[in-house]
Amino acid sequence: MAAAAPGGGLPRPRRGGRPALGVRVSTEGRWAVLVTVSGEVDLGTAARLRELLERALDTGDPLALVVDLSEVDFLAAAGLSALVRVRDRAEARAVEFHVVADRRSVLRPLEITGLRPRFRVHPDLGSALARYASASSR
């Protein structure tokens, strides 16, 4: 039986005792929406991730959408496609799209596909959110 992700969001189906995909959405200050993703982003989960990212993009009037992939164990081509589509939609709305990634499971697919330069990739959440934390204190 699937358990709900903390804070709502996507149910987390289990594969071998591990969650296949978990998604949490929160606002960080006034200007950034943070989507924390965990587990596996593959053909079976990418469409749902895209839907949740697009919904997060529609939350308020953010300056940035930050997608934290530091807990992602596997990122397939379908997941990359979902990220590109949401990034394009964000940029069309003048919303900066940031990715937090420090694992080979995410960085390697971005590198071998040539997509890494098309994303603002940060090694940790603090560096991705730093600009927006200072914007909210003005």
Side-chain angles (χ1 to χ4, degrees), residues 71-88:
E71 297 177 27
V72 169
D73 300 317
F74 179 73
L75 180 61
L80 292 170
S81 177
L83 291 173
V84 168
R85 288 180 178 204
V86 175
R87 187 219 50 211
D88 290 349

Side-chain angles (χ1 to χ4, degrees), residues 44-96:
T45 60
R48 184 72 172 134
L49 176 61
R50 178 180 170 197
E51 175 186 326
L52 292 170
L53 289 174
E54 288 175 346
R55 192 178 305 161
L57 184 59
D58 293 335
T59 302
D61 190 21
L63 294 178
L65 179 61
V66 178
V67 182
D68 184 356
L69 301 175
S70 60
E71 297 177 27
V72 169
D73 300 317
F74 179 73
L75 180 61
L80 292 170
S81 177
L83 291 173
V84 168
R85 288 180 178 204
V86 175
R87 187 219 50 211
D88 290 349
R89 185 167 176 231
E91 289 183 355
R93 295 180 54 187
V95 174
E96 293 184 359

Side-chain angles (χ1 to χ4, degrees), residues 5-10 12 21-25 35-38 49 52-53:
L10 179 68
R12 295 167 52 176
L21 180 70
V23 178
R24 291 185 316 271
V25 179
V35 180
T36 304
V37 183
S38 61
L49 176 61
L52 292 170
L53 289 174

